[in-house]
Amino acid sequence: MSSRRVSAVLRDAASRLEESGVASPDHDAAELLAHVLGTTRSRLPLVDDPGADQVAEFGALVERRAAREPLQHLTGLAGFRHTELKVGPGVFVPRPETELLAGWAIEAAQQVLGESGRAPVVVDLCTGSGAIARSLAQEVPEARVYAVELDEGAHAWATQNLAGTGVELRHGDMADAFDDLAGTVDVVVCNPPYIPLEAWETVAAEARDHDPHLALFSGDDGLDAMRVLERRAAVLLRPRGVVGAEHADVQGLAAPQVFVDAGRWSDVRDHLDLAGRARYLTARLAR
């Protein structure tokens, strides 16, 4: 396929995706074609002519993406920080903004290591695909990392992504997870469900129709899981241990207030993402 032919095919595919409301049609069309041809987006102008079966496969993937099936489900992979995760139906696709929360957890674990010289203990609640736990194990290899996931489908994906990393993955509810670690954890990190049930119609089709609802919705105000996290983190953390949790951009006041109202946290802060939106909170256990 010549570079001119590649451009024409991508232009047609991107137009189809744009018509269907896909937010990034050019990027997604190129990613799908690169996936089919076994190359990268930057090398598409250099590829050989594809066979008829590859053209048909690409066309089928474009139609599935036009139907708002997540791009990562179609390619089977999602990039996250310095790693790549296997994803597909049944697991929440990790978002780029969550990389900031993971970065905070990594820095917090490194600080424990630097100040105490001992291996930091980190717990990732609601691990989903295992994205945060995998990044922690990769970037702070000295850490003892634990993760838990309730949804069976997501747990199966996390099992794949955390295999060989040293992370101890468990299947269960964060509300009562890791009793054996009570009072010994340095860092608790969590990307909980946080969408109010009433916001159903505002959720992007890719998430609403394909991500597990257990990973999305959290009661009438979207903070039910945050309240559970606050209670569990207080049990797990050692004195002066820290917790970090992602939340919706409209919860920049309400989510931290969950920790303030509990009366056992200090240094409760909210943090912005790269677009300047409220994205995650952190707090330190005061006792």
Side-chain angles (χ1 to χ4, degrees), residues 159-207:
T159 299
Q160 294 186 60
N161 288 319
L162 297 178
T165 64
V167 175
E168 183 175 324
L169 172 65
R170 301 184 190 179
H171 183 205
D173 192 331
M174 74 165 174
D176 55 13
F178 301 113
D179 275 341
D180 53 315
L181 298 179
T184 70
V185 178
D186 297 293
V187 182
V188 170
V189 61
C190 183
N191 183 11
Y194 49 69
I195 300 174
L197 290 171
E198 64 182 20
W200 167 271
E201 294 296 337
T202 68
V203 179
E206 286 86 346

Side-chain angles (χ1 to χ4, degrees), residues 244-265:
E246 186 170 317
H247 57 68
D249 54 6
V250 297
Q251 296 169 338
L253 295 176
Q257 195 65 39
V258 170
F259 286 79
V260 172
D261 289 346
R264 52 190 166 201
W265 302 91

